[in-house]
Amino acid sequence: MDFEKIPTVPTADEVLDRSFRRAAKKMQKKMNKDRANEEFVRAVSSAVHDRLVHVIQSFPILEEQPPFYRDTVEALFGIERLKKALGSVGWAAMHTKRMGWEHGGARIRWAEDTAAVRKRAVARIASIVHQIDDDLRFLNEARNVLRKLPDIRDDEFTVVIAGYPNVGKSSFINRISSAEPEVASYPFTTKGVIVGHRYEGRTRIQLVDTPGLLNRPDEERNPIEEQAISAIIHTADLVVFILDPSEYCGYPVEDQRHLLEAIQARVEVPVIIVANKADLGAESEAEFSMSAQTGRGVKEVLEAVLSHYREPAPRPDEGTPEEETEDRPAVEGGEPGLRSS
């Protein structure tokens, strides 16, 4: 997963501190003071520019990510907000390099007071970098969340487990997973997507346990619920919808059915309806009845899931000609990977 590779994004002060230290080392090697001042400006400019470019290039191009990840970024942060922050970093990189060209060459070389020119140039570079400090902090916050996203693969048969909170989705996925599921939680949410796997010979089935989905209009859903909707629409080859007819989950059966109908209307894949907590004696018209707690009926549900197995078809966005995007346009100076603001 590309998001895992994003390194820590430095603050403005961290960018400048590291750049000044690198420049000071080069300056110490110059015997001539004027040439040392000239070298210091060029070194600071180059170091800041390279660090900011590295920040931009460490973020994956969102248009190249699977729909699940694009929708997750949109739900958690907003794609345009993320692009705007990267564009601001690109703007700062371009202008800090320009400072090196303008003040690290003839202007400082022929100045009467090279130290004064050096100080002005470095102050302007610092001012530019501090203007994007909020963007750098935002990108680091996004990085800390995105790198923890679950690894959901497009090339595996995917079963999405859906339903209201506390209906037994996690217990069911724990029962049928071949290994302990991966839990991906986020700093500002109580629960994230859980991914488990079931091995049948050489075949691996991907099990996605969505957060509890509440039965309310899309515009009223919070980011983690939007993420769950994205998981259902974009990753599912099969949906297992779990009902709790006992209503011990805290939600009326009628509300649970309304959510089921809403999901059935949004997906084009098979939906298996399972009533959980059969050990509590509640009756249901669901296709299957089980108790994820005791294991009763789980085998029959698993067999139904496996009966739907098929090789995953290419997603709608795969196999289409690549189109040029504006996500990573070059900026003045021919520097690759910078986004314009």
Side-chain angles (χ1 to χ4, degrees):
M1 184 176 60
D2 290 342
F3 292 115
E4 291 178 342
K5 303 173 184 176
I6 305 175
T8 301
V9 179
T11 64
D13 286 335
E14 288 170 343
V15 170
L16 293 169
D17 180 64
R18 181 176 177 180
S19 301
F20 289 160
R21 282 189 281 110
R22 284 180 57 183
K25 289 182 180 179
K26 290 187 177 183
M27 187 177 180
Q28 290 171 358
K29 298 177 182 179
K30 299 292 181 182
M31 300 298 293
N32 183 286
K33 242 184 216 184
D34 292 339
R35 294 303 297 270
N37 286 326
E38 178 185 343
E39 180 66 29
F40 187 84
V41 172
R42 282 204 302 265
V44 168
S45 169
S46 178
V48 170
H49 169 270
D50 292 349
R51 192 78 190 275
L52 295 181
V53 169
H54 179 68
V55 168
I56 297 168
Q57 294 180 338
S58 66
F59 277 79
I61 299 175
L62 292 175
E63 282 78 4
E64 295 180 355
Q65 300 304 305
F68 169 77
Y69 294 108
R70 294 201 300 269
D71 284 0
T72 298
V73 172
E74 179 62 35
L76 295 176
F77 303 105
I79 290 176
E80 289 306 313
R81 174 68 182 92
L82 194 65
K83 285 186 175 181
K84 183 179 179 181
L86 291 167
S88 296
V89 176
W91 167 85
M94 179 181 70
H95 283 282
T96 54
K97 187 164 188 177
R98 184 174 293 170
M99 287 294 102
W101 291 340
E102 293 179 355
H103 297 276
R107 177 178 295 190
I108 190 171
R109 189 174 305 157
W110 304 112
E112 291 185 7
D113 188 349
T114 58
V117 177
R118 184 201 78 205
K119 290 177 182 178
R120 285 197 299 270
V122 170
R124 291 185 65 180
I125 290 173
S127 175
I128 291 169
V129 177
H130 277 118
Q131 287 182 56
I132 62 164
D133 189 51
D134 287 345
D135 294 295
L136 291 171
R137 292 177 184 275
F138 166 75
L139 289 172
N140 195 53
E141 176 189 344
R143 172 259 182 194
N144 290 337
V145 174
L146 295 177
R147 66 191 299 270
K148 296 179 182 178
L149 288 177
D151 186 9
I152 297 179
R153 301 183 57 174
D154 276 357
D155 59 352
E156 293 183 353
F157 184 78
T158 302
V159 181
V160 169
I161 316 298
Y164 261 75
N166 306 317
V167 297
K169 301 186 305 297
S170 299
S171 298
F172 174 66
I173 204 170
N174 279 321
R175 280 275 180 187
I176 66 174
S177 292
S178 301
E180 186 174 346
E182 168 198 358
V183 181
S185 58
Y186 307 99
F188 43 79
T189 61
T190 57
K191 182 180 179 183
V193 169
I194 297 175
V195 180
H197 298 94
R198 174 84 187 183
Y199 291 87
E200 295 290 332
R202 295 186 178 182
T203 300
R204 192 172 86 155
I205 296 174
Q206 191 168 229
L207 304 159
V208 181
D209 175 15
T210 64
L213 299 180
L214 301 182
N215 185 25
R216 58 176 180 248
D218 288 350
E219 61 271 15
E220 295 181 13
R221 298 186 189 278
N222 62 38
I224 204 65
E225 292 164 342
E226 286 293 340
Q227 181 182 339
I229 290 291
S230 172
I232 290 173
I233 293 176
H234 291 306
T235 68
D237 294 300
L238 172 70
V239 174
V240 174
F241 188 92
I242 298 182
L243 291 165
D244 176 10
S246 73
E247 299 185 352
Y248 270 72
C249 64
Y251 300 95
V253 172
E254 192 61 28
D255 288 353
Q256 297 179 54
R257 288 199 181 104
H258 286 160
L259 177 58
L260 169 61
E261 292 168 1
I263 289 176
Q264 287 175 318
R266 296 183 69 168
V267 300
E268 298 179 356
V269 299
V271 178
I272 295 177
I273 305 170
V274 180
N276 189 31
K277 305 184 182 179
D279 53 312
L280 299 179
E283 296 183 359
S284 172
E285 298 177 359
E287 303 168 68
F288 298 91
S289 178
M290 71 173 184
S291 169
Q293 186 69 30
T294 66
R296 172 185 166 190
V298 171
K299 180 180 178 182
E300 288 73 17
V301 176
L302 177 58
E303 289 174 350
V305 169
L306 296 177
S307 71
H308 285 274
Y309 177 81
R310 57 181 172 77
E311 290 294 328
R315 302 295 172 186
D317 61 325
E318 294 180 358
T320 56
E322 292 186 3
E323 296 181 0
E324 292 185 3
T325 69
E326 297 181 357
D327 195 42
R328 290 180 184 262
V331 297
E332 183 178 343
E335 294 299 325
L338 299 183
R339 299 165 172 82
S340 58
S341 59

